[in-house]
Amino acid sequence: RGRDIFVASVPMGAAGAGAAFFEMFAAGAQSIVRFGSDDVAVSVDNLRDVIVVDRADNLVGMQADSCSDDQQPLCASSQLVAALEARAGALGCPVRRMICHNVEDYHAFNFPSLFADGQGEHIGKRVQALKAVDPDRMHSWDMETAALFLRAHQFGLHAAAVLLDASSAWHHRR
């Protein structure tokens, strides 16, 4: 639509993603849409769905690092969410909204049996409790979306995330 865009590959993890998003906003980006992977909710039946992450919570570590005790969820830009939903609708793609539960120790969460200290089980219980608050919504857990929303909030700018796991689509086609 006659506007400049910039496409970047952003490192995985909260620290790498947070640094990259900081640099983009500091360089003048007004809006960032993250297209990321979803290793939770993709199936052969919903490959055309546009999954928009509109909220991130469980920000204890991130907020402490920012010297904030505020545990309120961070929300995506309502303008970007509306634009993504409108474009998906125009393309005939169903839209589903998702909540991101920030998990800073993603490996302990995914492989709890490898951690002798019980950290993985603790994180799993925390995520289950968060999911129970809003059981009718889709849920994901990553670090990059929360880092993006935090940076956008800090800069007073716009961010949203769209998730799809192309590798799942590839495996279903084989």
Side-chain angles (χ1 to χ4, degrees):
R1 297 187 182 208
R3 295 189 139 175
D4 293 334
I5 67 165
F6 178 78
V7 178
S9 177
V10 175
M12 293 179 11
F21 297 135
F22 171 83
E23 294 292 336
M24 287 182 227
F25 281 126
Q30 298 296 302
S31 301
I32 296 175
V33 177
R34 172 182 179 251
F35 291 91
S37 64
D38 174 24
D39 55 0
V40 178
V42 177
S43 74
V44 71
D45 298 323
N46 65 3
L47 291 177
R48 288 189 44 79
D49 292 5
V50 175
I51 301 170
V52 178
V53 181
D54 65 349
R55 189 167 81 214
D57 63 16
N58 198 39
L59 306 169
V60 176
M62 292 181 72
Q63 296 293 34
D65 285 348
S66 299
C67 299
S68 172
D69 294 329
D70 184 9
Q71 289 304 307
Q72 295 299 310
L74 295 172
C75 295
S77 164
S78 59
Q79 291 174 332
L80 289 179
V81 170
L84 289 165
E85 289 178 336
R87 184 66 179 145
L91 295 171
C93 297
V95 176
R96 298 188 299 158
R97 291 201 185 183
M98 180 179 276
I99 301 168
C100 169
H101 306 295
N102 183 52
V103 174
E104 293 186 40
D105 195 344
Y106 193 75
H107 294 100
F109 174 64
N110 280 313
F111 306 101
S113 64
L114 299 178
F115 292 80
D117 63 0
Q119 181 66 15
E121 288 86 4
H122 173 75
I123 296 169
K125 288 177 186 175
R126 175 75 178 138
V127 167
Q128 290 305 317
L130 290 164
K131 287 172 65 175
V133 171
D134 206 342
D136 296 329
R137 295 281 305 270
M138 294 178 67
H139 303 268
S140 72
W141 26 90
D142 66 37
M143 301 153 283
E144 297 85 12
T145 296
L148 171 59
F149 289 3
L150 177 63
R151 289 293 185 240
H153 178 77
Q154 289 170 331
F155 277 84
L157 296 170
H158 300 277
V162 176
L163 300 185
L164 174 65
D165 187 351
S167 65
S168 290
W170 172 255
H171 292 298
H172 286 297
R173 288 183 195 161
R174 283 198 234 176

